[in-house]
Amino acid sequence: KGAFDGIGTCHAVGVKDIPRVSTILELADRDCLILSDDDSVAKQHQKEYNGHGKWFRYSEILESSKALTGEDFIKPEIFKPVLKKLIQKYPTLVELSEDQLHDSGGKIHTIDEWLKKGGIEQQEKKAVLNEIKEEVFKNLKASHIEEEYFEFLKKVSGQL
């Protein structure tokens, strides 16, 4: 914790919002370290970015990380109650195992594919994914987070 004393946080609404947020920090004469997902969208936006601050994706901080999104740092069992509620709401969905949530494509990709196979239409699927994210993060505790994330934070502190 001590490494982050005196450090503030800002959150962009997706990687598309990073230039706006970093410009505000630049105008306020504040340094910034940008930490983002490691999916293809983040990689593309990072490549095109030439704004204020240093931008790192998860794997650029913790080389061994396979996390593509923040949800990949959350233990699979935390998703289970949320997914069970969805199965009740959408009977076409079949149970998704914790092993499936360990898929190398990432939790969000795996859940997205699961929803698609369950016949959830694209527009509704986006809303359902957001609902899942909200539910998982709403009651998140440190014990719900994979150890890898704490290793990631130690490496982040070395960038400060």
PDB file of all heavy atoms in Angstrom, residues 45-80:
ATOM      1  N   HIS A  45      -5.526   1.107 -29.783  1.00  0.00           N
ATOM      2  CA  HIS A  45      -5.581   2.486 -29.281  1.00  0.00           C
ATOM      3  C   HIS A  45      -4.237   2.911 -28.690  1.00  0.00           C
ATOM      4  O   HIS A  45      -3.839   4.064 -28.849  1.00  0.00           O
ATOM      5  CB  HIS A  45      -6.713   2.641 -28.259  1.00  0.00           C
ATOM      6  CG  HIS A  45      -8.045   2.794 -28.916  1.00  0.00           C
ATOM      7  ND1 HIS A  45      -8.571   4.002 -29.299  1.00  0.00           N
ATOM      8  CD2 HIS A  45      -8.959   1.864 -29.297  1.00  0.00           C
ATOM      9  CE1 HIS A  45      -9.737   3.827 -29.865  1.00  0.00           C
ATOM     10  NE2 HIS A  45      -9.996   2.528 -29.886  1.00  0.00           N
ATOM     11  N   GLN A  46      -3.558   2.003 -28.029  1.00  0.00           N
ATOM     12  CA  GLN A  46      -2.243   2.319 -27.481  1.00  0.00           C
ATOM     13  C   GLN A  46      -1.269   2.647 -28.616  1.00  0.00           C
ATOM     14  O   GLN A  46      -0.489   3.605 -28.517  1.00  0.00           O
ATOM     15  CB  GLN A  46      -1.710   1.156 -26.649  1.00  0.00           C
ATOM     16  CG  GLN A  46      -0.351   1.432 -26.036  1.00  0.00           C
ATOM     17  CD  GLN A  46       0.286   0.190 -25.451  1.00  0.00           C
ATOM     18  OE1 GLN A  46       0.101  -0.907 -25.969  1.00  0.00           O
ATOM     19  NE2 GLN A  46       1.033   0.360 -24.370  1.00  0.00           N
ATOM     20  N   LYS A  47      -1.331   1.878 -29.677  1.00  0.00           N
ATOM     21  CA  LYS A  47      -0.442   2.077 -30.828  1.00  0.00           C
ATOM     22  C   LYS A  47      -0.651   3.464 -31.449  1.00  0.00           C
ATOM     23  O   LYS A  47       0.305   4.126 -31.865  1.00  0.00           O
ATOM     24  CB  LYS A  47      -0.728   0.973 -31.858  1.00  0.00           C
ATOM     25  CG  LYS A  47       0.172   0.963 -33.049  1.00  0.00           C
ATOM     26  CD  LYS A  47      -0.192  -0.216 -33.941  1.00  0.00           C
ATOM     27  CE  LYS A  47       0.635  -0.228 -35.194  1.00  0.00           C
ATOM     28  NZ  LYS A  47       0.251  -1.331 -36.092  1.00  0.00           N
ATOM     29  N   GLU A  48      -1.898   3.912 -31.478  1.00  0.00           N
ATOM     30  CA  GLU A  48      -2.243   5.202 -32.093  1.00  0.00           C
ATOM     31  C   GLU A  48      -2.060   6.384 -31.142  1.00  0.00           C
ATOM     32  O   GLU A  48      -2.083   7.537 -31.567  1.00  0.00           O
ATOM     33  CB  GLU A  48      -3.697   5.164 -32.572  1.00  0.00           C
ATOM     34  CG  GLU A  48      -3.937   4.150 -33.676  1.00  0.00           C
ATOM     35  CD  GLU A  48      -5.409   3.906 -33.956  1.00  0.00           C
ATOM     36  OE1 GLU A  48      -6.281   4.502 -33.276  1.00  0.00           O
ATOM     37  OE2 GLU A  48      -5.692   3.087 -34.857  1.00  0.00           O
ATOM     38  N   TYR A  49      -1.860   6.114 -29.869  1.00  0.00           N
ATOM     39  CA  TYR A  49      -1.815   7.163 -28.842  1.00  0.00           C
ATOM     40  C   TYR A  49      -0.480   7.893 -28.869  1.00  0.00           C
ATOM     41  O   TYR A  49       0.580   7.288 -28.908  1.00  0.00           O
ATOM     42  CB  TYR A  49      -2.034   6.525 -27.465  1.00  0.00           C
ATOM     43  CG  TYR A  49      -2.073   7.520 -26.331  1.00  0.00           C
ATOM     44  CD1 TYR A  49      -3.185   8.323 -26.145  1.00  0.00           C
ATOM     45  CD2 TYR A  49      -1.010   7.648 -25.449  1.00  0.00           C
ATOM     46  CE1 TYR A  49      -3.244   9.228 -25.106  1.00  0.00           C
ATOM     47  CE2 TYR A  49      -1.064   8.548 -24.396  1.00  0.00           C
ATOM     48  CZ  TYR A  49      -2.180   9.336 -24.235  1.00  0.00           C
ATOM     49  OH  TYR A  49      -2.229  10.239 -23.200  1.00  0.00           O
ATOM     50  N   ASN A  50      -0.547   9.219 -28.829  1.00  0.00           N
ATOM     51  CA  ASN A  50       0.673  10.030 -28.710  1.00  0.00           C
ATOM     52  C   ASN A  50       0.449  11.178 -27.732  1.00  0.00           C
ATOM     53  O   ASN A  50       1.012  12.250 -27.886  1.00  0.00           O
ATOM     54  CB  ASN A  50       1.149  10.525 -30.084  1.00  0.00           C
ATOM     55  CG  ASN A  50       0.129  11.431 -30.754  1.00  0.00           C
ATOM     56  OD1 ASN A  50      -0.964  11.645 -30.242  1.00  0.00           O
ATOM     57  ND2 ASN A  50       0.477  11.968 -31.900  1.00  0.00           N
ATOM     58  N   GLY A  51      -0.356  10.917 -26.722  1.00  0.00           N
ATOM     59  CA  GLY A  51      -0.710  11.939 -25.743  1.00  0.00           C
ATOM     60  C   GLY A  51       0.159  11.903 -24.502  1.00  0.00           C
ATOM     61  O   GLY A  51       1.239  11.293 -24.468  1.00  0.00           O
ATOM     62  N   HIS A  52      -0.328  12.525 -23.479  1.00  0.00           N
ATOM     63  CA  HIS A  52       0.350  12.694 -22.194  1.00  0.00           C
ATOM     64  C   HIS A  52       0.361  11.396 -21.394  1.00  0.00           C
ATOM     65  O   HIS A  52      -0.624  10.673 -21.360  1.00  0.00           O
ATOM     66  CB  HIS A  52      -0.390  13.799 -21.420  1.00  0.00           C
ATOM     67  CG  HIS A  52       0.144  14.086 -20.071  1.00  0.00           C
ATOM     68  ND1 HIS A  52       1.385  14.615 -19.851  1.00  0.00           N
ATOM     69  CD2 HIS A  52      -0.400  13.892 -18.841  1.00  0.00           C
ATOM     70  CE1 HIS A  52       1.586  14.764 -18.556  1.00  0.00           C
ATOM     71  NE2 HIS A  52       0.504  14.328 -17.923  1.00  0.00           N
ATOM     72  N   GLY A  53       1.463  11.120 -20.746  1.00  0.00           N
ATOM     73  CA  GLY A  53       1.565   9.965 -19.853  1.00  0.00           C
ATOM     74  C   GLY A  53       2.135   8.736 -20.537  1.00  0.00           C
ATOM     75  O   GLY A  53       2.237   8.661 -21.756  1.00  0.00           O
ATOM     76  N   LYS A  54       2.517   7.777 -19.714  1.00  0.00           N
ATOM     77  CA  LYS A  54       3.018   6.492 -20.208  1.00  0.00           C
ATOM     78  C   LYS A  54       1.877   5.485 -20.152  1.00  0.00           C
ATOM     79  O   LYS A  54       1.225   5.348 -19.128  1.00  0.00           O
ATOM     80  CB  LYS A  54       4.158   5.982 -19.324  1.00  0.00           C
ATOM     81  CG  LYS A  54       5.399   6.820 -19.346  1.00  0.00           C
ATOM     82  CD  LYS A  54       6.438   6.159 -18.449  1.00  0.00           C
ATOM     83  CE  LYS A  54       7.502   7.139 -18.025  1.00  0.00           C
ATOM     84  NZ  LYS A  54       8.362   6.559 -16.983  1.00  0.00           N
ATOM     85  N   TRP A  55       1.675   4.757 -21.238  1.00  0.00           N
ATOM     86  CA  TRP A  55       0.582   3.791 -21.351  1.00  0.00           C
ATOM     87  C   TRP A  55       1.158   2.383 -21.324  1.00  0.00           C
ATOM     88  O   TRP A  55       2.034   2.037 -22.125  1.00  0.00           O
ATOM     89  CB  TRP A  55      -0.168   4.036 -22.640  1.00  0.00           C
ATOM     90  CG  TRP A  55      -1.383   3.182 -22.872  1.00  0.00           C
ATOM     91  CD1 TRP A  55      -1.645   1.936 -22.384  1.00  0.00           C
ATOM     92  CD2 TRP A  55      -2.505   3.522 -23.682  1.00  0.00           C
ATOM     93  NE1 TRP A  55      -2.860   1.480 -22.830  1.00  0.00           N
ATOM     94  CE2 TRP A  55      -3.407   2.435 -23.632  1.00  0.00           C
ATOM     95  CE3 TRP A  55      -2.836   4.637 -24.443  1.00  0.00           C
ATOM     96  CZ2 TRP A  55      -4.612   2.439 -24.331  1.00  0.00           C
ATOM     97  CZ3 TRP A  55      -4.035   4.630 -25.125  1.00  0.00           C
ATOM     98  CH2 TRP A  55      -4.923   3.545 -25.064  1.00  0.00           C
ATOM     99  N   PHE A  56       0.646   1.569 -20.411  1.00  0.00           N
ATOM    100  CA  PHE A  56       1.035   0.170 -20.304  1.00  0.00           C
ATOM    101  C   PHE A  56      -0.207  -0.713 -20.291  1.00  0.00           C
ATOM    102  O   PHE A  56      -1.207  -0.373 -19.664  1.00  0.00           O
ATOM    103  CB  PHE A  56       1.804  -0.094 -18.994  1.00  0.00           C
ATOM    104  CG  PHE A  56       3.111   0.632 -18.901  1.00  0.00           C
ATOM    105  CD1 PHE A  56       3.194   1.829 -18.212  1.00  0.00           C
ATOM    106  CD2 PHE A  56       4.255   0.105 -19.477  1.00  0.00           C
ATOM    107  CE1 PHE A  56       4.396   2.504 -18.112  1.00  0.00           C
ATOM    108  CE2 PHE A  56       5.465   0.773 -19.386  1.00  0.00           C
ATOM    109  CZ  PHE A  56       5.543   1.973 -18.699  1.00  0.00           C
ATOM    110  N   ARG A  57      -0.089  -1.852 -20.953  1.00  0.00           N
ATOM    111  CA  ARG A  57      -1.106  -2.892 -20.850  1.00  0.00           C
ATOM    112  C   ARG A  57      -0.636  -3.894 -19.798  1.00  0.00           C
ATOM    113  O   ARG A  57       0.527  -3.916 -19.419  1.00  0.00           O
ATOM    114  CB  ARG A  57      -1.305  -3.595 -22.202  1.00  0.00           C
ATOM    115  CG  ARG A  57      -1.838  -2.655 -23.281  1.00  0.00           C
ATOM    116  CD  ARG A  57      -2.071  -3.379 -24.613  1.00  0.00           C
ATOM    117  NE  ARG A  57      -1.156  -4.454 -24.902  1.00  0.00           N
ATOM    118  CZ  ARG A  57       0.031  -4.307 -25.500  1.00  0.00           C
ATOM    119  NH1 ARG A  57       0.444  -3.100 -25.873  1.00  0.00           N
ATOM    120  NH2 ARG A  57       0.799  -5.372 -25.726  1.00  0.00           N
ATOM    121  N   TYR A  58      -1.529  -4.745 -19.336  1.00  0.00           N
ATOM    122  CA  TYR A  58      -1.197  -5.692 -18.265  1.00  0.00           C
ATOM    123  C   TYR A  58       0.091  -6.461 -18.543  1.00  0.00           C
ATOM    124  O   TYR A  58       0.965  -6.551 -17.686  1.00  0.00           O
ATOM    125  CB  TYR A  58      -2.341  -6.691 -18.034  1.00  0.00           C
ATOM    126  CG  TYR A  58      -3.659  -6.064 -17.675  1.00  0.00           C
ATOM    127  CD1 TYR A  58      -4.830  -6.491 -18.274  1.00  0.00           C
ATOM    128  CD2 TYR A  58      -3.743  -5.049 -16.729  1.00  0.00           C
ATOM    129  CE1 TYR A  58      -6.058  -5.916 -17.943  1.00  0.00           C
ATOM    130  CE2 TYR A  58      -4.960  -4.479 -16.396  1.00  0.00           C
ATOM    131  CZ  TYR A  58      -6.119  -4.915 -17.012  1.00  0.00           C
ATOM    132  OH  TYR A  58      -7.316  -4.355 -16.687  1.00  0.00           O
ATOM    133  N   SER A  59       0.217  -7.026 -19.751  1.00  0.00           N
ATOM    134  CA  SER A  59       1.384  -7.854 -20.065  1.00  0.00           C
ATOM    135  C   SER A  59       2.674  -7.046 -20.178  1.00  0.00           C
ATOM    136  O   SER A  59       3.758  -7.617 -20.128  1.00  0.00           O
ATOM    137  CB  SER A  59       1.154  -8.640 -21.363  1.00  0.00           C
ATOM    138  OG  SER A  59       1.069  -7.757 -22.466  1.00  0.00           O
ATOM    139  N   GLU A  60       2.567  -5.756 -20.335  1.00  0.00           N
ATOM    140  CA  GLU A  60       3.767  -4.921 -20.390  1.00  0.00           C
ATOM    141  C   GLU A  60       4.294  -4.612 -18.991  1.00  0.00           C
ATOM    142  O   GLU A  60       5.444  -4.217 -18.843  1.00  0.00           O
ATOM    143  CB  GLU A  60       3.476  -3.618 -21.145  1.00  0.00           C
ATOM    144  CG  GLU A  60       3.192  -3.862 -22.613  1.00  0.00           C
ATOM    145  CD  GLU A  60       2.773  -2.604 -23.344  1.00  0.00           C
ATOM    146  OE1 GLU A  60       1.921  -1.851 -22.819  1.00  0.00           O
ATOM    147  OE2 GLU A  60       3.298  -2.378 -24.446  1.00  0.00           O
ATOM    148  N   ILE A  61       3.450  -4.792 -17.998  1.00  0.00           N
ATOM    149  CA  ILE A  61       3.854  -4.612 -16.604  1.00  0.00           C
ATOM    150  C   ILE A  61       4.250  -5.961 -16.009  1.00  0.00           C
ATOM    151  O   ILE A  61       5.308  -6.103 -15.407  1.00  0.00           O
ATOM    152  CB  ILE A  61       2.707  -3.986 -15.772  1.00  0.00           C
ATOM    153  CG1 ILE A  61       2.346  -2.591 -16.286  1.00  0.00           C
ATOM    154  CG2 ILE A  61       3.046  -3.976 -14.291  1.00  0.00           C
ATOM    155  CD1 ILE A  61       3.334  -1.496 -15.971  1.00  0.00           C
ATOM    156  N   LEU A  62       3.395  -6.935 -16.195  1.00  0.00           N
ATOM    157  CA  LEU A  62       3.637  -8.288 -15.683  1.00  0.00           C
ATOM    158  C   LEU A  62       3.678  -9.226 -16.890  1.00  0.00           C
ATOM    159  O   LEU A  62       2.645  -9.655 -17.401  1.00  0.00           O
ATOM    160  CB  LEU A  62       2.512  -8.693 -14.713  1.00  0.00           C
ATOM    161  CG  LEU A  62       2.669 -10.015 -13.992  1.00  0.00           C
ATOM    162  CD1 LEU A  62       3.894 -10.001 -13.075  1.00  0.00           C
ATOM    163  CD2 LEU A  62       1.418 -10.331 -13.185  1.00  0.00           C
ATOM    164  N   GLU A  63       4.882  -9.498 -17.361  1.00  0.00           N
ATOM    165  CA  GLU A  63       5.056 -10.241 -18.613  1.00  0.00           C
ATOM    166  C   GLU A  63       4.374 -11.602 -18.618  1.00  0.00           C
ATOM    167  O   GLU A  63       3.945 -12.074 -19.664  1.00  0.00           O
ATOM    168  CB  GLU A  63       6.539 -10.386 -18.936  1.00  0.00           C
ATOM    169  CG  GLU A  63       7.182  -9.076 -19.318  1.00  0.00           C
ATOM    170  CD  GLU A  63       8.669  -9.207 -19.613  1.00  0.00           C
ATOM    171  OE1 GLU A  63       9.157 -10.342 -19.770  1.00  0.00           O
ATOM    172  OE2 GLU A  63       9.328  -8.165 -19.681  1.00  0.00           O
ATOM    173  N   SER A  64       4.273 -12.228 -17.468  1.00  0.00           N
ATOM    174  CA  SER A  64       3.653 -13.555 -17.395  1.00  0.00           C
ATOM    175  C   SER A  64       2.121 -13.502 -17.430  1.00  0.00           C
ATOM    176  O   SER A  64       1.468 -14.539 -17.533  1.00  0.00           O
ATOM    177  CB  SER A  64       4.101 -14.268 -16.122  1.00  0.00           C
ATOM    178  OG  SER A  64       3.650 -13.553 -14.981  1.00  0.00           O
ATOM    179  N   SER A  65       1.547 -12.307 -17.379  1.00  0.00           N
ATOM    180  CA  SER A  65       0.093 -12.174 -17.318  1.00  0.00           C
ATOM    181  C   SER A  65      -0.571 -12.573 -18.630  1.00  0.00           C
ATOM    182  O   SER A  65      -0.120 -12.197 -19.710  1.00  0.00           O
ATOM    183  CB  SER A  65      -0.301 -10.729 -16.981  1.00  0.00           C
ATOM    184  OG  SER A  65      -1.702 -10.621 -16.947  1.00  0.00           O
ATOM    185  N   LYS A  66      -1.641 -13.323 -18.499  1.00  0.00           N
ATOM    186  CA  LYS A  66      -2.474 -13.695 -19.646  1.00  0.00           C
ATOM    187  C   LYS A  66      -3.796 -12.920 -19.604  1.00  0.00           C
ATOM    188  O   LYS A  66      -4.667 -13.136 -20.443  1.00  0.00           O
ATOM    189  CB  LYS A  66      -2.774 -15.198 -19.644  1.00  0.00           C
ATOM    190  CG  LYS A  66      -1.526 -16.065 -19.688  1.00  0.00           C
ATOM    191  CD  LYS A  66      -0.883 -16.045 -21.044  1.00  0.00           C
ATOM    192  CE  LYS A  66       0.277 -17.008 -21.116  1.00  0.00           C
ATOM    193  NZ  LYS A  66       1.529 -16.389 -21.463  1.00  0.00           N
ATOM    194  N   ALA A  67      -3.933 -12.025 -18.621  1.00  0.00           N
ATOM    195  CA  ALA A  67      -5.170 -11.257 -18.462  1.00  0.00           C
ATOM    196  C   ALA A  67      -5.385 -10.339 -19.668  1.00  0.00           C
ATOM    197  O   ALA A  67      -4.474  -9.619 -20.076  1.00  0.00           O
ATOM    198  CB  ALA A  67      -5.122 -10.429 -17.181  1.00  0.00           C
ATOM    199  N   LEU A  68      -6.578 -10.393 -20.206  1.00  0.00           N
ATOM    200  CA  LEU A  68      -6.941  -9.507 -21.306  1.00  0.00           C
ATOM    201  C   LEU A  68      -7.765  -8.330 -20.813  1.00  0.00           C
ATOM    202  O   LEU A  68      -7.670  -7.231 -21.350  1.00  0.00           O
ATOM    203  CB  LEU A  68      -7.720 -10.276 -22.373  1.00  0.00           C
ATOM    204  CG  LEU A  68      -6.958 -11.407 -23.066  1.00  0.00           C
ATOM    205  CD1 LEU A  68      -7.857 -12.113 -24.077  1.00  0.00           C
ATOM    206  CD2 LEU A  68      -5.702 -10.888 -23.734  1.00  0.00           C
ATOM    207  N   THR A  69      -8.601  -8.577 -19.812  1.00  0.00           N
ATOM    208  CA  THR A  69      -9.424  -7.519 -19.222  1.00  0.00           C
ATOM    209  C   THR A  69      -9.318  -7.617 -17.700  1.00  0.00           C
ATOM    210  O   THR A  69      -8.844  -8.623 -17.168  1.00  0.00           O
ATOM    211  CB  THR A  69     -10.908  -7.651 -19.639  1.00  0.00           C
ATOM    212  OG1 THR A  69     -11.455  -8.828 -19.066  1.00  0.00           O
ATOM    213  CG2 THR A  69     -11.066  -7.670 -21.158  1.00  0.00           C
ATOM    214  N   GLY A  70      -9.784  -6.598 -17.017  1.00  0.00           N
ATOM    215  CA  GLY A  70      -9.741  -6.599 -15.558  1.00  0.00           C
ATOM    216  C   GLY A  70     -10.465  -7.779 -14.943  1.00  0.00           C
ATOM    217  O   GLY A  70     -10.069  -8.281 -13.887  1.00  0.00           O
ATOM    218  N   GLU A  71     -11.494  -8.263 -15.616  1.00  0.00           N
ATOM    219  CA  GLU A  71     -12.258  -9.399 -15.105  1.00  0.00           C
ATOM    220  C   GLU A  71     -11.406 -10.667 -15.011  1.00  0.00           C
ATOM    221  O   GLU A  71     -11.703 -11.552 -14.218  1.00  0.00           O
ATOM    222  CB  GLU A  71     -13.484  -9.655 -15.985  1.00  0.00           C
ATOM    223  CG  GLU A  71     -14.546  -8.585 -15.909  1.00  0.00           C
ATOM    224  CD  GLU A  71     -14.242  -7.336 -16.744  1.00  0.00           C
ATOM    225  OE1 GLU A  71     -13.293  -7.350 -17.554  1.00  0.00           O
ATOM    226  OE2 GLU A  71     -14.951  -6.331 -16.573  1.00  0.00           O
ATOM    227  N   ASP A  72     -10.347 -10.737 -15.784  1.00  0.00           N
ATOM    228  CA  ASP A  72      -9.484 -11.921 -15.752  1.00  0.00           C
ATOM    229  C   ASP A  72      -8.676 -12.018 -14.463  1.00  0.00           C
ATOM    230  O   ASP A  72      -8.096 -13.062 -14.177  1.00  0.00           O
ATOM    231  CB  ASP A  72      -8.563 -11.945 -16.975  1.00  0.00           C
ATOM    232  CG  ASP A  72      -9.334 -12.135 -18.260  1.00  0.00           C
ATOM    233  OD1 ASP A  72     -10.362 -12.847 -18.232  1.00  0.00           O
ATOM    234  OD2 ASP A  72      -8.931 -11.568 -19.285  1.00  0.00           O
ATOM    235  N   PHE A  73      -8.654 -10.962 -13.691  1.00  0.00           N
ATOM    236  CA  PHE A  73      -7.979 -10.986 -12.392  1.00  0.00           C
ATOM    237  C   PHE A  73      -8.914 -11.441 -11.270  1.00  0.00           C
ATOM    238  O   PHE A  73      -8.514 -11.535 -10.117  1.00  0.00           O
ATOM    239  CB  PHE A  73      -7.409  -9.603 -12.044  1.00  0.00           C
ATOM    240  CG  PHE A  73      -6.248  -9.188 -12.906  1.00  0.00           C
ATOM    241  CD1 PHE A  73      -6.366  -8.120 -13.781  1.00  0.00           C
ATOM    242  CD2 PHE A  73      -5.029  -9.851 -12.824  1.00  0.00           C
ATOM    243  CE1 PHE A  73      -5.293  -7.719 -14.558  1.00  0.00           C
ATOM    244  CE2 PHE A  73      -3.952  -9.459 -13.599  1.00  0.00           C
ATOM    245  CZ  PHE A  73      -4.083  -8.389 -14.471  1.00  0.00           C
ATOM    246  N   ILE A  74     -10.158 -11.700 -11.602  1.00  0.00           N
ATOM    247  CA  ILE A  74     -11.144 -12.115 -10.604  1.00  0.00           C
ATOM    248  C   ILE A  74     -11.307 -13.632 -10.664  1.00  0.00           C
ATOM    249  O   ILE A  74     -11.387 -14.217 -11.747  1.00  0.00           O
ATOM    250  CB  ILE A  74     -12.495 -11.408 -10.841  1.00  0.00           C
ATOM    251  CG1 ILE A  74     -12.299  -9.893 -10.742  1.00  0.00           C
ATOM    252  CG2 ILE A  74     -13.550 -11.890  -9.845  1.00  0.00           C
ATOM    253  CD1 ILE A  74     -13.491  -9.074 -11.154  1.00  0.00           C
ATOM    254  N   LYS A  75     -11.360 -14.248  -9.497  1.00  0.00           N
ATOM    255  CA  LYS A  75     -11.481 -15.705  -9.421  1.00  0.00           C
ATOM    256  C   LYS A  75     -12.771 -16.162 -10.102  1.00  0.00           C
ATOM    257  O   LYS A  75     -13.828 -15.537  -9.939  1.00  0.00           O
ATOM    258  CB  LYS A  75     -11.453 -16.161  -7.962  1.00  0.00           C
ATOM    259  CG  LYS A  75     -10.114 -15.897  -7.292  1.00  0.00           C
ATOM    260  CD  LYS A  75     -10.127 -16.271  -5.831  1.00  0.00           C
ATOM    261  CE  LYS A  75      -8.760 -15.997  -5.208  1.00  0.00           C
ATOM    262  NZ  LYS A  75      -8.751 -16.230  -3.761  1.00  0.00           N
ATOM    263  N   PRO A  76     -12.699 -17.253 -10.860  1.00  0.00           N
ATOM    264  CA  PRO A  76     -13.878 -17.728 -11.610  1.00  0.00           C
ATOM    265  C   PRO A  76     -15.104 -17.992 -10.746  1.00  0.00           C
ATOM    266  O   PRO A  76     -16.231 -17.726 -11.169  1.00  0.00           O
ATOM    267  CB  PRO A  76     -13.394 -19.028 -12.258  1.00  0.00           C
ATOM    268  CG  PRO A  76     -11.919 -18.932 -12.282  1.00  0.00           C
ATOM    269  CD  PRO A  76     -11.529 -18.082 -11.106  1.00  0.00           C
ATOM    270  N   GLU A  77     -14.894 -18.485  -9.520  1.00  0.00           N
ATOM    271  CA  GLU A  77     -16.051 -18.822  -8.674  1.00  0.00           C
ATOM    272  C   GLU A  77     -16.892 -17.600  -8.306  1.00  0.00           C
ATOM    273  O   GLU A  77     -18.053 -17.732  -7.936  1.00  0.00           O
ATOM    274  CB  GLU A  77     -15.613 -19.582  -7.416  1.00  0.00           C
ATOM    275  CG  GLU A  77     -14.687 -18.837  -6.496  1.00  0.00           C
ATOM    276  CD  GLU A  77     -13.198 -19.098  -6.737  1.00  0.00           C
ATOM    277  OE1 GLU A  77     -12.821 -19.522  -7.834  1.00  0.00           O
ATOM    278  OE2 GLU A  77     -12.419 -18.838  -5.801  1.00  0.00           O
ATOM    279  N   ILE A  78     -16.336 -16.420  -8.435  1.00  0.00           N
ATOM    280  CA  ILE A  78     -17.073 -15.182  -8.124  1.00  0.00           C
ATOM    281  C   ILE A  78     -18.136 -14.926  -9.191  1.00  0.00           C
ATOM    282  O   ILE A  78     -19.159 -14.298  -8.928  1.00  0.00           O
ATOM    283  CB  ILE A  78     -16.094 -13.993  -7.984  1.00  0.00           C
ATOM    284  CG1 ILE A  78     -15.015 -14.291  -6.941  1.00  0.00           C
ATOM    285  CG2 ILE A  78     -16.824 -12.693  -7.697  1.00  0.00           C
ATOM    286  CD1 ILE A  78     -15.535 -14.750  -5.584  1.00  0.00           C
ATOM    287  N   PHE A  79     -17.913 -15.429 -10.381  1.00  0.00           N
ATOM    288  CA  PHE A  79     -18.871 -15.253 -11.473  1.00  0.00           C
ATOM    289  C   PHE A  79     -20.053 -16.214 -11.374  1.00  0.00           C
ATOM    290  O   PHE A  79     -21.112 -15.944 -11.931  1.00  0.00           O
ATOM    291  CB  PHE A  79     -18.171 -15.466 -12.828  1.00  0.00           C
ATOM    292  CG  PHE A  79     -17.261 -14.352 -13.223  1.00  0.00           C
ATOM    293  CD1 PHE A  79     -15.965 -14.287 -12.734  1.00  0.00           C
ATOM    294  CD2 PHE A  79     -17.690 -13.349 -14.082  1.00  0.00           C
ATOM    295  CE1 PHE A  79     -15.108 -13.260 -13.089  1.00  0.00           C
ATOM    296  CE2 PHE A  79     -16.849 -12.311 -14.446  1.00  0.00           C
ATOM    297  CZ  PHE A  79     -15.555 -12.275 -13.938  1.00  0.00           C
ATOM    298  N   LYS A  80     -19.849 -17.338 -10.694  1.00  0.00           N
ATOM    299  CA  LYS A  80     -20.853 -18.405 -10.686  1.00  0.00           C
ATOM    300  C   LYS A  80     -22.251 -17.958 -10.255  1.00  0.00           C
ATOM    301  O   LYS A  80     -23.223 -18.247 -10.951  1.00  0.00           O
ATOM    302  CB  LYS A  80     -20.374 -19.590  -9.832  1.00  0.00           C
ATOM    303  CG  LYS A  80     -19.154 -20.305 -10.378  1.00  0.00           C
ATOM    304  CD  LYS A  80     -19.346 -20.855 -11.769  1.00  0.00           C
ATOM    305  CE  LYS A  80     -20.203 -22.084 -11.751  1.00  0.00           C
ATOM    306  NZ  LYS A  80     -20.418 -22.667 -13.064  1.00  0.00           N
TER     307      LYS A  80
END
